């Protein structure tokens, strides 16, 4: 599927240090270990295309955009993939509720998302992959897991084709036979896992499962549901559609490779989604899924997590239609650390506006003095330390602050202007 147009990113003098990120799996801030080929591998979970793009989505993709910008500034090449969950229960439910064909809903919302990403100047993934583009690969991976003994069939009385059975992942066997274990990523206890599994699309109460937490790999066809043929697979799989977690394992393995630098998404994906995406991939390859499991905090609005199911959404496209400068949306989001949960209010845009006004009002200088080059290094140091964007903004605020009476204001020099563009994605001209 086509991605979107990436913004131009200016080159800066010198280099960023290798960025360090908080790893959910260890609880520590660690260097992002990139391969010897200097390619920085990143997989970020993409949207389920309905009600896109709200500020929570934007904040998550902006966090990983900050990482990509730092990696570029550190002289690395990006190897970035993102999926679109264009077949899943919530999408089908929304399509049915609104009387729109699910394919049309997915396409129109993915288009809207692409437009919002361009407006926000977010670097595009090299591979932007819809799940419906890789159904064959997912079905093969599910069959392989069955062959390897990491999956089992569960009798499915309402299957469209009698005798077809849903396929589940055998968590206990994976924990026994691979380096993955339940909790490797989340560190949650079992009660929390059971609770989150039920809330986030899991089916802990299906009695035939070996473990209540075993996730669905492949759902065989039911009457009235979209399904895909699986001809010629060994072992045999009934026609059907993928479970949720396996889509991200397969797309990441295919387009970023095994054992890449960073797996990313919002903290609502820590369990079960990321835990099991990693489990499936490790069962398939025998290797860890990613070096660092990175998660963004949740943006709330009107007291609750901004979410499609609650409908408390502030959409990027609505703000832009209302005349809000997209740079202000970016600045408002960058003012919060990517790992913190926070609540959006109109004040966020007001603060961003005041900040941008102060920066653009600064006198311009044609030459970079030692102080402005030192400021670039301070910005880099803040950002490389677990993407401390509020810290980087504070460095700039201090530079552009009103000078004491009689003192000359600090100027906007070419390197500072380029740094604001390259590292923060904001063009001042
Ligand atoms: N398609 C799946 C991932 S495979 C999915 O979670 N889609 S989504 O549309 O619900 O979310 C897209 C991304 O935005 C995910 O990384 C999710 O964690 C993140 N996200 C969703 N809501 C928020 C929020 N309120 N604040 C921050 N990030 C959010
Ligand atoms: Zn995902």
């Amino acid at each position: 599927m086509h991605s979107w147009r990436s913004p131009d990113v200016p080159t800066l003098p010198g280099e960023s240090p290798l960025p360090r990120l908080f790893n959910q799996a260890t609880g520590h801030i660690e260097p992002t270990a990139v391969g010897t080929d200097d390619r920085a591998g990143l997989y970020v979970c993409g949207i389920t295309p309905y009600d896109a793009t709200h500020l929570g989505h934007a904040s998550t993709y902006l966090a990983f955009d900050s990482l990509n910008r730092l990696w570029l500034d550190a002289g690395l090449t990006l190897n970035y993939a993102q999926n679109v969950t264009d077949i899943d229960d919530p999408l089908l439910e929304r399509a049915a509720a609104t009387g729109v064909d699910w394919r049309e809903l997915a396409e129109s919302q993915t288009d809207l998302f692409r437009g919002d990403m361009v407006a926000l100047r977010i670097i595009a993934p090299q591979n932007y992959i819809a799940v419906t583009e890789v159904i064959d690969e997912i079905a093969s991976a599910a069959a392989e897991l069955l062959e390897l003994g990491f999956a089992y069939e569960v009798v499915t009385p309402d299957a469209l084709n009698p005798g077809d059975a849903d396929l589940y992942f055998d968590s206990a066997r994976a924990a026994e036979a691979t380096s993955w274990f339940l909790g490797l990523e989340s560190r949650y206890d079992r009660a929390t896992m059971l609770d989150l599994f039920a809330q986030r699309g899991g089916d802990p109460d299906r009695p035939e499962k070996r473990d209540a937490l075993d996730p669905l790999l492949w759902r065989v066809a039911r009457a009235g549901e979209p399904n895909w043929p699986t001809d010629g697979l060994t072992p045999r799989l009934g026609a059907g559609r993928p479970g949720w977690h396996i889509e991200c394992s397969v797309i990441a393995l295919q387009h970023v490779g095994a054992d890449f630098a960073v797996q990313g998404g919002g903290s609502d994906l820590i369990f079960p989604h990321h835990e099991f995406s990693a489990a499936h991939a490790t069962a398939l390859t025998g290797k860890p899924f990613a070096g660092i499991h990175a998660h963004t905090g949740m943006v709330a609005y009107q007291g609750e997590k901004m979410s499609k199911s609650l409908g408390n959404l502030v959409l990027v496209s609505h703000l832009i239609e209302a005349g809000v400068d997209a740079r202000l949306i970016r600045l408002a989001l960058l003012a919060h650390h990517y790992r913190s949960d926070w609540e959006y209010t109109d004040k966020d845009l007001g603060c961003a506006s005041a900040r941008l006004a102060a920066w653009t009002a600064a006198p311009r200088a044609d030459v970079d003095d030692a102080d402005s080059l030192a400021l670039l290094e301070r910005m880099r140091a803040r950002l490389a330390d677990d993407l401390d964007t509020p810290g980087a903004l504070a460095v700039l605020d201090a530079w552009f602050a009103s000078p004491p009476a009689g003192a000359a204001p600090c100027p906007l020099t070419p390197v500072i202007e380029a740094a604001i563009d390259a590292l923060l994605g904001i063009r001042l001209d």
Side-chain angles (χ1 to χ4, degrees), residues 43 45-46 83 244 247-248 269 273-274 277:
Y43 181 81
C45 282
N83 70 313
W244 178 22
E247 72 186 51
C248 288
L269 300 184
H273 184 55
H274 282 179
S277 293

Side-chain angles (χ1 to χ4, degrees), residues 12-13 367-369 372-373 375-376 412-420:
L12 302 172
V367 182
D368 294 316
D369 58 1
S372 53
L373 290 165
L375 178 133
L376 166 62
L412 179 67
T413 68
V415 76
I416 296 177
E417 186 170 0
I420 291 173

Side-chain angles (χ1 to χ4, degrees), residues 160-191:
L160 186 65
N161 305 309
D164 280 358
D166 292 338
L167 204 63
Y168 280 82
F169 186 68
D170 191 332
S171 312
R173 161 104 169 95
E176 201 180 273
T178 75
S179 60
W180 176 84
F181 56 89
L182 195 60
L184 178 150
E185 185 161 338
S186 71
R187 309 272 150 180
Y188 295 156
D189 60 31
R190 189 168 172 90

Side-chain angles (χ1 to χ4, degrees), residues 104-193:
E104 275 171 35
L105 177 62
E107 238 168 72
S108 63
Q109 290 288 303
T110 305
D111 267 346
L112 184 66
F113 176 76
R114 289 189 189 98
D116 292 339
M117 293 297 103
V118 171
L120 291 174
R121 305 190 77 237
I122 291 190
I123 295 171
Q126 285 76 51
N127 289 291
Y128 190 47
I129 310 291
V131 174
T132 54
E133 292 179 295
V134 288
I135 299 280
D136 287 350
E137 288 85 344
I138 297 174
S140 299
E144 194 179 334
L145 287 170
L146 184 59
E147 170 84 0
L148 293 169
F150 291 116
Y152 61 94
E153 292 183 327
V154 164
V155 28
T156 306
D158 58 340
L160 186 65
N161 305 309
D164 280 358
D166 292 338
L167 204 63
Y168 280 82
F169 186 68
D170 191 332
S171 312
R173 161 104 169 95
E176 201 180 273
T178 75
S179 60
W180 176 84
F181 56 89
L182 195 60
L184 178 150
E185 185 161 338
S186 71
R187 309 272 150 180
Y188 295 156
D189 60 31
R190 189 168 172 90
T192 307
M193 287 182 185

Side-chain angles (χ1 to χ4, degrees), residues 5-18:
R5 180 169 43 82
S6 271
D8 292 333
V9 180
T11 310
L12 302 172
E15 262 184 12
S16 266
L18 191 66

Side-chain angles (χ1 to χ4, degrees), residues 43-52 54-61 64 82-86 88 90 113 131 244-245 247-248 264-270 273-274 277 295-301 304-308 312-313 338 340-342:
Y43 181 81
V44 178
C45 282
I47 55 164
T48 304
Y50 68 100
D51 284 347
H54 63 62
L55 287 181
H57 298 144
S59 166
T60 287
Y61 299 112
F64 294 102
Q82 189 181 127
N83 70 313
V84 178
T85 307
D86 63 344
D88 201 8
F113 176 76
V131 174
W244 178 22
H245 320 305
E247 72 186 51
C248 288
S267 59
D268 56 342
L269 300 184
I270 294 174
H273 184 55
H274 282 179
S277 293
H295 298 98
T296 56
M298 289 291 109
V299 181
Y301 186 53
E304 304 233 41
K305 172 193 159 188
M306 198 177 282
S307 78
K308 300 186 278 208
N312 56 338
L313 307 176
Y338 82 97
S340 59
D341 296 327
W342 58 281

